[in-house]
Amino acid sequence: MSLTPEEVEKIAHLARLGVDDAELAEYAGELSKVLGLVELMNAAETEGIEPMAHPGHASNRLRDDLVTESDKRELLQQAAPAVEKGLFLVPKVIE
Amino acid sequence: MASENSSPSSTGTSATANAQSGAWEVVIGLEIHAQLATSSKIFSAASTAFGAEPNTQACAVDLGLPGVLPVLNREAVRMAVCFALATDAEIGRRSVFARKNYFYPDLPKGYQISQMALPIVGRGKVEIVLEDGQKKSIGLTRAHLEEDAGKSLHDEFNDMTGIDLNRAGTPLLEIVSEPDLRSAAEAVAYARKIHALVRYIGICDGNMQEGSFRCDANVSLRRWGQQELGTRTEVKNVNSFRFLERAIEFEIERQADVLESGQAVIQETRLYDADRDETRSMRSKEEANDYRYFPDPDLLPVEIDDEYIESLRAGLPELPDARAQRYREDYALSDYDAGVLTSDRATADYFEAVVTDGRVSPKLANNWLAGEVFARLNRDNLELADSPVDASALAGLLIRIEDNTISGKIAKQLLDDMWAGKGSADDLIEAGGLRQITDTGALESMIDAVIEENPGQVAEYRAGKDKLLGFFVGKAMKASQGKANPAQLNELLRQKLKP
């Protein structure tokens, strides 16, 4: 399976990555190779094998339902470019 | 038995006819987001309390700062499994969290942690009662755990959007129904059923105004007999059951108009505008949704074993359907009364506390709770839990009706006084000298006076105008200041008025 430059452009846009025209062809080639590897793995016999969700081979640890985080708004908002009335400000988002 | 019977307050779904729109069969599925009633967030130890100052409950994990890792809240898992048990659903013994990728400023990580291929709750079902009393089983496709996003405030600043991330990371259970619903009324009945269930088992407070219980409706039409589903639209922004019904009704009419004019329905998300009572297309996103789900490498699969499931099953409360059946069988209540009383756990608990020692009949308790108490709660905009008259206080009042100490009419006045905090029923009866007059001699002298004063009406009555009895009852009751026993009064009057 091989990707077209247009498909690469779409994927880049979904990930909000800037990719110029020269790079599109290069990435199309590299990503196609990755898909080729996936195709190779697809051919493996997996009948009766439980799908793996994580290579850790363990199950999740859970935490008790306790509130231990205190308000650190002032500290956490120091890195924000714009803040007003306790809100983070971002360029106007119009739905 | 009581002399007063107030009718139960009417409830719920409007009487609007189902807009089946003639040639079209309506197909509806609901997606309900129930906010789980945990203290802390699903993957962080920040508080989920509603109404805090912006961003004071958003910790480094909720903000998606570099280096943080999510740790799953045990309570969220427990609540999801309880939901599965309450809806007879399959339980995902091994469920997996996945990343749903999209960019929006109120989603700091650039992805929402959700579940895709392996949700914690699989196929289940609930039963709803249709308007004609028929029962219908509605399939649940799945329910999965996920985190909520933050809130965007578009109107407060000129050319900026304000972001409050307090809600980011709040645990949600997204409950997806099969497309089994065939009208707006069915959709509302189903949503109400899920609402009652999640509150019953204590996993969600159900507050729709605060967004704790949100419904999105997938609506499509198809020709009768057609197998494949028509193109659907998703209706969002519905924050009450009434709006859910109206939004779906509007959408059914709109789609019918589109199809009948020979056009095609466009698959899109539409927002309900309650002020205009219409749905509007959201400006379509520049890209079709392409969320590129993949398993979240920060979280391991959640494994649930039989021992855990059985321990939760043992702790489940009696569910509404079973409780309603018990009310019909043990208390001889009607389907309707049993349904109203059990639709909410607090109401059912209150009711049972009133009838528990057997001194108040279930029918009387139902009439007073569903009628008088609910009317006063609605008037004062109170929840039953905040009622100034609790179950034992109401029982104290109703016992005095049952033993003929007071009439129902006096009891209503007493309930108002009790509501205002003036004391218990017995204290008020004593202080006000309200004990019902059952002394025949005293009643007879009052009746004699009434007969004396109204010779004209007496003559008419004796000439056959039976319905004048009510006139005499009223006069005599007034003379007794409402304290006469109505049944006894009737009987004595009949005797005295005999020609």
Side-chain angles (χ1 to χ4, degrees), chain A residues 3-38:
Chain A
L3 289 172
T4 64
E6 290 72 33
E7 285 167 322
V8 174
E9 197 170 10
K10 187 192 166 202
I11 295 164
H13 176 72
L14 285 172
R16 299 298 188 274
L17 294 173
V19 177
D20 64 35
D21 289 350
E23 291 170 313
L24 281 178
E26 188 186 337
Y27 285 135
E30 287 178 7
L31 288 172
S32 296
K33 280 185 197 164
V34 174
L35 291 178
L37 179 65
V38 173

Side-chain angles (χ1 to χ4, degrees), chain B residues 147-309:
Chain B
E147 58 179 343
D148 207 345
K151 270 187 184 156
S152 299
L153 303 153
H154 301 291
D155 303 326
E156 291 196 24
F157 307 96
N158 274 339
D159 43 2
M160 303 290 269
T161 293
I163 306 291
D164 176 8
L165 294 171
N166 279 349
R167 204 179 61 184
T170 298
L172 300 177
L173 189 66
E174 179 175 338
I175 303 157
V176 183
S177 85
E178 291 286 287
D180 286 348
L181 304 159
R182 291 291 173 271
S183 69
E186 281 186 22
V188 170
Y190 164 79
R192 282 184 182 278
K193 187 61 181 258
I194 297 292
H195 188 252
L197 267 182
V198 295
R199 295 184 67 199
Y200 243 85
I201 59 177
I203 67 169
C204 172
D205 69 19
N207 189 323
M208 295 177 85
Q209 274 68 48
E210 291 177 5
S212 304
F213 189 88
R214 315 198 279 268
C215 301
D216 301 335
N218 287 301
V219 180
S220 65
L221 303 185
R222 65 179 169 190
R223 294 222 176 259
W224 289 100
Q226 181 181 313
Q227 282 302 302
E228 61 272 26
L229 295 171
T231 305
R232 68 165 196 270
T233 57
E234 184 176 10
V235 181
K236 284 183 182 279
N237 202 32
V238 182
N239 66 1
S240 74
F241 292 121
R242 191 166 62 93
F243 290 160
L244 177 65
E245 182 157 21
R246 288 168 59 170
I248 293 172
E249 299 280 14
F250 176 87
E251 192 54 22
I252 291 169
E253 292 298 334
R254 189 192 69 84
Q255 290 189 17
D257 288 348
V258 168
L259 293 168
E260 277 155 18
S261 70
Q263 293 169 296
V265 171
I266 300 164
Q267 183 168 341
E268 62 183 353
T269 300
R270 299 179 67 86
L271 290 182
Y272 178 65
D273 182 335
D275 294 333
R276 297 178 176 197
D277 192 24
E278 63 179 25
T279 67
R280 266 183 289 127
S281 179
M282 274 175 75
R283 240 167 270 180
S284 62
K285 292 177 184 166
E286 53 182 297
E287 289 292 327
N289 290 341
D290 188 347
Y291 293 125
R292 294 149 297 141
Y293 281 94
F294 62 87
D296 191 327
D298 289 344
L299 289 155
L300 290 157
V302 181
E303 289 182 353
I304 292 165
D305 60 24
D306 288 345
E307 195 186 348
Y308 180 66
I309 292 168

Side-chain angles (χ1 to χ4, degrees), chain B residues 53-64:
Chain B
E53 284 294 301
N55 292 307
T56 55
Q57 294 175 172
C59 70
V61 173
D62 307 325
L63 265 52

